[in-house]
mmCIF file of all heavy atoms in Angstrom:
data_model
loop_
_atom_site.group_PDB
_atom_site.id
_atom_site.type_symbol
_atom_site.label_atom_id
_atom_site.label_comp_id
_atom_site.label_asym_id
_atom_site.label_seq_id
_atom_site.Cartn_x
_atom_site.Cartn_y
_atom_site.Cartn_z
ATOM 1 N N VAL A 117 22.468 141.093 46.711
ATOM 2 C CA VAL A 117 22.049 141.311 48.098
ATOM 3 C C VAL A 117 20.548 141.081 48.171
ATOM 4 O O VAL A 117 19.819 141.331 47.203
ATOM 5 C CB VAL A 117 22.405 142.724 48.606
ATOM 6 C CG1 VAL A 117 23.913 142.931 48.652
ATOM 7 C CG2 VAL A 117 21.746 143.806 47.771
ATOM 8 N N THR A 118 20.103 140.546 49.296
ATOM 9 C CA THR A 118 18.679 140.284 49.524
ATOM 10 C C THR A 118 18.423 140.435 51.016
ATOM 11 O O THR A 118 19.376 140.579 51.797
ATOM 12 C CB THR A 118 18.287 138.855 49.095
ATOM 13 O OG1 THR A 118 18.744 137.927 50.099
ATOM 14 C CG2 THR A 118 18.866 138.466 47.750
ATOM 15 N N PRO A 119 17.168 140.331 51.451
ATOM 16 C CA PRO A 119 16.942 140.329 52.894
ATOM 17 C C PRO A 119 17.625 139.151 53.588
ATOM 18 O O PRO A 119 17.789 139.158 54.806
ATOM 19 C CB PRO A 119 15.407 140.225 52.998
ATOM 20 C CG PRO A 119 14.916 140.859 51.738
ATOM 21 C CD PRO A 119 15.905 140.455 50.694
ATOM 22 N N GLY A 120 18.021 138.138 52.814
ATOM 23 C CA GLY A 120 18.721 136.991 53.376
ATOM 24 C C GLY A 120 20.231 137.138 53.426
ATOM 25 O O GLY A 120 20.931 136.218 53.830
ATOM 26 N N THR A 121 20.748 138.289 53.007
ATOM 27 C CA THR A 121 22.182 138.549 53.152
ATOM 28 C C THR A 121 22.355 139.639 54.199
ATOM 29 O O THR A 121 21.482 140.494 54.382
ATOM 30 C CB THR A 121 22.847 138.975 51.833
ATOM 31 O OG1 THR A 121 22.323 140.240 51.403
ATOM 32 C CG2 THR A 121 22.604 137.938 50.736
ATOM 33 N N LEU A 122 23.469 139.611 54.883
ATOM 34 C CA LEU A 122 23.758 140.604 55.901
ATOM 35 C C LEU A 122 24.976 141.399 55.456
ATOM 36 O O LEU A 122 26.003 140.818 55.105
ATOM 37 C CB LEU A 122 24.031 139.931 57.247
ATOM 38 C CG LEU A 122 24.173 140.868 58.448
ATOM 39 C CD1 LEU A 122 22.855 141.588 58.735
ATOM 40 C CD2 LEU A 122 24.628 140.092 59.681
ATOM 41 N N GLN A 123 24.827 142.723 55.436
ATOM 42 C CA GLN A 123 25.917 143.588 54.994
ATOM 43 C C GLN A 123 26.576 144.239 56.199
ATOM 44 O O GLN A 123 25.893 144.677 57.143
ATOM 45 C CB GLN A 123 25.389 144.696 54.072
ATOM 46 C CG GLN A 123 24.347 144.242 53.054
ATOM 47 C CD GLN A 123 24.848 143.098 52.199
ATOM 48 O OE1 GLN A 123 24.263 142.020 52.141
ATOM 49 N NE2 GLN A 123 25.964 143.316 51.539
ATOM 50 N N LEU A 124 27.883 144.338 56.144
ATOM 51 C CA LEU A 124 28.641 144.996 57.196
ATOM 52 C C LEU A 124 29.536 146.012 56.504
ATOM 53 O O LEU A 124 30.194 145.688 55.514
ATOM 54 C CB LEU A 124 29.500 143.969 57.940
ATOM 55 C CG LEU A 124 29.920 144.280 59.366
ATOM 56 C CD1 LEU A 124 28.696 144.324 60.265
ATOM 57 C CD2 LEU A 124 30.868 143.201 59.871
ATOM 58 N N SER A 125 29.550 147.239 57.001
ATOM 59 C CA SER A 125 30.489 148.210 56.460
ATOM 60 C C SER A 125 31.310 148.783 57.610
ATOM 61 O O SER A 125 30.846 148.870 58.747
ATOM 62 C CB SER A 125 29.764 149.319 55.702
ATOM 63 O OG SER A 125 28.896 150.025 56.554
ATOM 64 N N LEU A 126 32.538 149.147 57.290
ATOM 65 C CA LEU A 126 33.472 149.661 58.280
ATOM 66 C C LEU A 126 34.096 150.938 57.712
ATOM 67 O O LEU A 126 34.558 150.947 56.575
ATOM 68 C CB LEU A 126 34.567 148.624 58.551
ATOM 69 C CG LEU A 126 35.830 149.071 59.296
ATOM 70 C CD1 LEU A 126 35.486 149.542 60.697
ATOM 71 C CD2 LEU A 126 36.838 147.921 59.340
ATOM 72 N N SER A 127 34.098 152.006 58.500
ATOM 73 C CA SER A 127 34.699 153.266 58.060
ATOM 74 C C SER A 127 35.600 153.801 59.155
ATOM 75 O O SER A 127 35.222 153.803 60.332
ATOM 76 C CB SER A 127 33.616 154.316 57.782
ATOM 77 O OG SER A 127 32.703 153.879 56.818
ATOM 78 N N PHE A 128 36.790 154.298 58.768
ATOM 79 C CA PHE A 128 37.652 154.958 59.730
ATOM 80 C C PHE A 128 38.589 155.902 58.995
ATOM 81 O O PHE A 128 38.885 155.703 57.811
ATOM 82 C CB PHE A 128 38.431 153.957 60.589
ATOM 83 C CG PHE A 128 39.336 153.029 59.831
ATOM 84 C CD1 PHE A 128 40.663 153.361 59.569
ATOM 85 C CD2 PHE A 128 38.875 151.790 59.396
ATOM 86 C CE1 PHE A 128 41.502 152.494 58.882
ATOM 87 C CE2 PHE A 128 39.703 150.917 58.711
ATOM 88 C CZ PHE A 128 41.022 151.277 58.447
ATOM 89 N N PRO A 129 39.082 156.966 59.689
ATOM 90 C CA PRO A 129 39.978 157.917 59.020
ATOM 91 C C PRO A 129 41.299 157.246 58.686
ATOM 92 O O PRO A 129 41.819 156.437 59.458
ATOM 93 C CB PRO A 129 40.181 159.021 60.074
ATOM 94 C CG PRO A 129 39.111 158.820 61.080
ATOM 95 C CD PRO A 129 38.788 157.366 61.071
ATOM 96 N N LEU A 130 41.864 157.624 57.546
ATOM 97 C CA LEU A 130 43.164 157.086 57.144
ATOM 98 C C LEU A 130 44.231 158.097 57.564
ATOM 99 O O LEU A 130 44.821 158.784 56.732
ATOM 100 C CB LEU A 130 43.181 156.844 55.635
ATOM 101 C CG LEU A 130 44.391 156.097 55.066
ATOM 102 C CD1 LEU A 130 44.600 154.768 55.760
ATOM 103 C CD2 LEU A 130 44.225 155.905 53.566
ATOM 104 N N ALA A 131 44.455 158.180 58.864
ATOM 105 C CA ALA A 131 45.383 159.176 59.368
ATOM 106 C C ALA A 131 46.822 158.674 59.373
ATOM 107 O O ALA A 131 47.772 159.433 59.136
ATOM 108 C CB ALA A 131 44.977 159.577 60.784
ATOM 109 N N ASP A 132 46.990 157.381 59.619
ATOM 110 C CA ASP A 132 48.318 156.805 59.766
ATOM 111 C C ASP A 132 48.412 155.570 58.875
ATOM 112 O O ASP A 132 48.259 154.445 59.352
ATOM 113 C CB ASP A 132 48.559 156.439 61.232
ATOM 114 C CG ASP A 132 49.977 155.984 61.495
ATOM 115 O OD1 ASP A 132 50.772 155.917 60.529
ATOM 116 O OD2 ASP A 132 50.287 155.660 62.654
ATOM 117 N N PRO A 133 48.645 155.757 57.556
ATOM 118 C CA PRO A 133 48.590 154.621 56.636
ATOM 119 C C PRO A 133 49.617 153.546 56.934
ATOM 120 O O PRO A 133 49.445 152.396 56.523
ATOM 121 C CB PRO A 133 48.844 155.265 55.261
ATOM 122 C CG PRO A 133 49.487 156.569 55.549
ATOM 123 C CD PRO A 133 48.968 157.013 56.874
ATOM 124 N N GLY A 134 50.689 153.901 57.660
ATOM 125 C CA GLY A 134 51.680 152.902 58.000
ATOM 126 C C GLY A 134 51.118 151.801 58.878
ATOM 127 O O GLY A 134 51.648 150.689 58.929
ATOM 128 N N ARG A 135 50.034 152.102 59.586
ATOM 129 C CA ARG A 135 49.419 151.105 60.468
ATOM 130 C C ARG A 135 48.383 150.254 59.747
ATOM 131 O O ARG A 135 47.872 149.280 60.296
ATOM 132 C CB ARG A 135 48.669 151.816 61.600
ATOM 133 C CG ARG A 135 49.513 152.380 62.688
ATOM 134 C CD ARG A 135 48.591 153.089 63.689
ATOM 135 N NE ARG A 135 49.316 153.608 64.816
ATOM 136 C CZ ARG A 135 49.532 152.946 65.934
ATOM 137 N NH1 ARG A 135 49.058 151.724 66.073
ATOM 138 N NH2 ARG A 135 50.203 153.484 66.917
ATOM 139 N N VAL A 136 48.029 150.695 58.513
ATOM 140 C CA VAL A 136 46.870 150.098 57.848
ATOM 141 C C VAL A 136 47.323 149.308 56.618
ATOM 142 O O VAL A 136 48.173 149.757 55.864
ATOM 143 C CB VAL A 136 45.875 151.201 57.415
ATOM 144 C CG1 VAL A 136 44.616 150.582 56.803
ATOM 145 C CG2 VAL A 136 45.505 152.081 58.598
#
Side-chain angles (χ1 to χ4, degrees):
Chain A
V117 296
T118 77
T121 65
L122 188 65
Q123 318 305 122
L124 204 65
S125 61
L126 166 63
S127 302
F128 60 90
L130 188 55
D132 187 358
R135 284 178 177 269
V136 184

